[in-house]
Structure formats: structure tokens, C-alpha cells
Amino acid sequence: MSTRRSFLTGAAVATGTAALGSAHIYAQEPKKITWRLQTYAGPALGEHVIKPSIDAFNQAANGAMEIKLYYADQLVPTGELFRAMQRGTIDAVQSDDDSIAAPVDISVFGGYFPFATRHSLDVPALFHQYGLNEIWAEAYGEVKGVTWLGSGAWDPCNFATVEPIRSLDDLKGKRIFTFPTAGKFLTRFGVIPVTLPWEDVEVALQTRELDGIAWSGITEDYTVGWANVTKYFLTNNISGAWIGSYFANSDKWNEVPEHLKTLFKLCMDSSHYYRQHWYWGGEAKLRVEGSKLELTSIPAEQWQTVENEAQKFWDEIAKTSPRCARVVEIFKQYNALMAKAGAPYR
């Protein structure tokens, strides 16, 4: 009886200890982190510019974190994305600074700042070797609630139009869907910038609410269906590459453990890399083999007028803040060096 009583007492103590141990282990298990991330891109474009990297992140996070991806305007209109992220309505954003109305002086350089870049590799070179990383981090460090995570290069900015553009005069009066800063610059040549929800652009081209777009290169025109409702592609571009960034709500970013932050940044880099070769190869291939858009060009001597006007535009923007002046000076130094380097740089 004594032996049986000792066994039952010991078993009860062991069971209680095990239960407490299990409860302790359960309490220590980290809660799964779930984010909502909205991109500037519609679904067809998003399949290339972000979805593969988010799928890879979710798989590699192994259940510790999941990012739910939303496309252009699905949760919030693109122009309201920054404020929504700041409030915590959404957790992260992929876009240029310009389109989401980021409340920083350097947002004017996001998207397509005219002729600041000529090739896609210019963007990472400028950010990683010429100091733009530090300037962007400085600017967003002054904004409460949002953390800028990094930038990469995306496609050039060409016109795709319903009617052919073969001279500067042909731009006059054209209603064009484009980015805020690019639109402001193009008004100097008679362009009428039009703002629409991304998903409405194709119909607006069909109904002639729009005469064209200056929102991408030819790869996106084919990918998203705009090549089906336009007829001409202007080979002259106003920018060789877009500056696209990733942002996160600061509180949500701070809750992410360091190893998952590292994983997310690696997936950002994989997305930047994919776009480098997807656009570079696609732009050339579709110019040569694409059957939907006829190529047109504005003569070089006329186009030089546009490039000269861009330099005036740069100087005007430089006067808006000391930080903008620093960015413009970097653009000038970088492009002067590239010109001296010659082919294949310029």
C-alpha cells in the first residue's frame, strides 16, 4: 500500500510538472505575424514585379510570418497608400514615392524624374555607390510611422499611343496617363496629364478618354494588355528606369524578428534582380518581335529640346530644398561621369 501510495504521488507531481512545462512551452511560441502588402501594380504586372518574391518569402518564413499580397487599388487608392500605411490600415507598400504621395521632399525623384537615369543599372549604382541610400533613409527618418526599406530599378518610361507621335508638335493636347512628376514635366510640351485608377486605363484608351500612356516601357504594355488598345510605341523615352521602393509601417516592422527582416530584404533583392533582366530583355525583344505596336521616333535634334528642358526642370527642383539640391547634384555628377565613360555607359 505504501509503495502504491508513493507511486501515485510521484505520478501526480510528474504529471503536474509536465503540464506546467507544456504550458510554458506553449506560452513561449511566437505568434504568427501576418502582413497586408499592397503594390502599385495590377494583377498581370504583379505576377512579375512582386508575387514571386512574396511567395518565396512566405515559403521560407515557414509559418512564422505570412504576407498577403494585394494589387493596385484593391484595399486603398494608390494615392492614399502612404497615409494608410502610416495609420496601420495596411502594413507595407511596394511603389515609387511619387505615386503614393510620400510626404518627403525627395518623393519628386521617385517614379520617372526626367533623364536622371538612362539604363536600369543606373538606379542601384546611384543608391549604393553615390549616396542616395543615405539621403532616402535620412528623409524618411523624419517621417513618423513609416520605414523606407530600399529601392530598385524598374522599366523605362515611353509613350504608347492611339495616334502616332513623330514630332514634338504631336504631343500637344494629348491626354496621357502618367506619373505626377513626369506629368508635370510633360506639360511643357503640351501634354495633358490624366490621373485614373490603374484598372481603368485600358477602357479609357478604348473610349479615347486617354490618347496614350507614359507609364512604362514596352514590356509592361504587352504584359498588362495596353498594347491591345494602343497602336504606336515611341522609342524616345523620358527616363531610362523607374525608382521603386518598399516601405513598411514602422511599428509592424519593429515587431518582426531580425532573421525575418533579413529574409524580407533578401526577397526584395530577388525581386529587383528579376526586374533587371525581365525588362532589359523584354524591351529589346518586343521592339524587334512584337507585332502589336508600330515603333515611331522623334528626330534627335527635336528630342534634344526635351533633354535641355529637363536640365532646367532639375534646377527648379533643386531650389525646393537643400536635400533636393544634393540629389540633383548627384544626378549631374553621375551623368557627367557616365558620359565621359562612353559606351556602353552612354
Side-chain angles (χ1 to χ4, degrees):
M1 181 64 70
S2 176
T3 301
R4 182 170 179 269
R5 186 180 297 111
S6 298
F7 171 78
L8 291 173
T9 303
V13 170
T15 301
T17 302
L20 287 171
S22 298
H24 175 73
I25 292 169
Y26 180 78
Q28 295 302 309
E29 288 181 356
K31 181 181 178 182
K32 178 181 175 180
I33 299 169
T34 302
W35 271 13
R36 299 198 301 173
L37 185 157
Q38 185 170 310
T39 176
Y40 75 101
L45 181 58
E47 285 288 333
H48 292 276
V49 301
I50 190 168
K51 189 175 185 297
S53 64
I54 297 301
D55 288 346
F57 176 88
N58 287 337
Q59 181 178 1
N62 199 30
M65 182 171 174
E66 180 184 6
I67 297 176
K68 296 180 178 179
L69 178 62
Y70 296 87
Y71 298 106
D73 305 309
Q74 280 192 330
L75 297 178
V76 180
T78 297
E80 300 174 17
L81 275 175
F82 194 93
R83 297 300 184 186
M85 177 172 45
Q86 210 171 23
R87 293 192 302 268
T89 305
I90 56 175
D91 305 304
V93 167
Q94 179 208 40
S95 179
D96 68 291
D97 323 61
D98 201 18
S99 298
I100 61 174
V104 291
D105 49 3
I106 49 87
S107 67
V108 68
F109 302 111
Y112 293 119
F113 192 69
F115 300 104
T117 61
R118 303 298 178 120
H119 304 297
S120 58
L121 282 174
D122 290 339
V123 172
L126 282 161
F127 273 83
H128 295 288
Q129 297 182 23
Y130 284 79
L132 293 195
N133 259 339
E134 291 74 18
I135 291 176
W136 257 245
E138 172 191 293
Y140 284 101
E142 298 170 0
V143 179
K144 185 178 180 180
V146 170
T147 300
W148 173 78
L149 301 177
S151 293
W154 302 352
D155 59 336
C157 183
N158 295 75
F159 285 85
T161 54
V162 177
E163 297 176 352
I165 304 295
R166 295 192 173 95
S167 71
L168 288 184
D169 285 342
D170 291 337
L171 291 174
K172 293 178 181 177
K174 294 293 189 292
R175 298 178 298 267
I176 301 294
F177 174 70
T178 189
F179 290 83
T181 298
K184 181 179 179 181
F185 173 68
L186 290 170
T187 59
R188 299 177 181 224
F189 307 98
V191 168
I192 302 170
V194 178
T195 301
L196 289 172
W198 191 90
E199 68 272 15
D200 293 344
V201 171
E202 186 170 342
V203 173
L205 286 164
Q206 292 173 302
T207 60
R208 294 303 300 272
E209 181 183 351
L210 289 174
D211 297 303
I213 51 177
W215 202 84
S216 68
I218 198 169
T219 307
E220 289 191 16
D221 292 336
Y222 274 79
T223 301
V224 306
W226 293 338
N228 299 328
V229 292
T230 54
K231 296 179 180 179
Y232 302 94
F233 180 83
L234 182 65
T235 59
N236 314 74
N237 65 49
I238 66 165
S239 175
W242 190 49
I243 299 173
S245 289
Y246 285 80
F247 308 83
N249 174 278
S250 296
D251 289 340
K252 293 299 182 68
W253 179 248
N254 292 336
E255 291 173 1
V256 176
E258 289 301 318
H259 70 287
L260 290 178
K261 287 180 179 177
T262 299
L263 177 61
F264 185 75
K265 288 188 174 183
L266 288 171
C267 289
M268 282 169 43
D269 288 343
S270 74
S271 182
H272 294 325
Y273 171 71
Y274 179 88
R275 281 190 299 274
Q276 286 279 353
H277 65 78
W278 184 59
Y279 286 126
W280 184 254
E283 296 300 301
K285 184 179 177 68
L286 288 169
R287 284 190 184 203
V288 175
E289 299 178 0
S291 60
K292 297 178 180 180
L293 295 175
E294 178 183 333
L295 304 184
T296 64
S297 297
I298 293 175
E301 60 273 14
Q302 286 191 38
W303 196 246
Q304 188 61 48
T305 302
V306 183
E307 297 195 24
N308 293 343
E309 196 65 30
Q311 294 300 311
K312 299 176 185 177
F313 186 73
W314 287 19
D315 291 338
E316 292 170 13
I317 296 300
K319 295 176 182 177
T320 60
S321 78
R323 186 157 48 212
C324 284
R326 286 160 57 197
V327 175
V328 168
E329 185 58 30
I330 288 171
F331 284 154
K332 288 182 176 181
Q333 291 176 2
Y334 177 81
N335 280 282
L337 184 143
M338 291 291 128
K340 290 180 181 177
Y345 298 98
R346 293 292 184 266

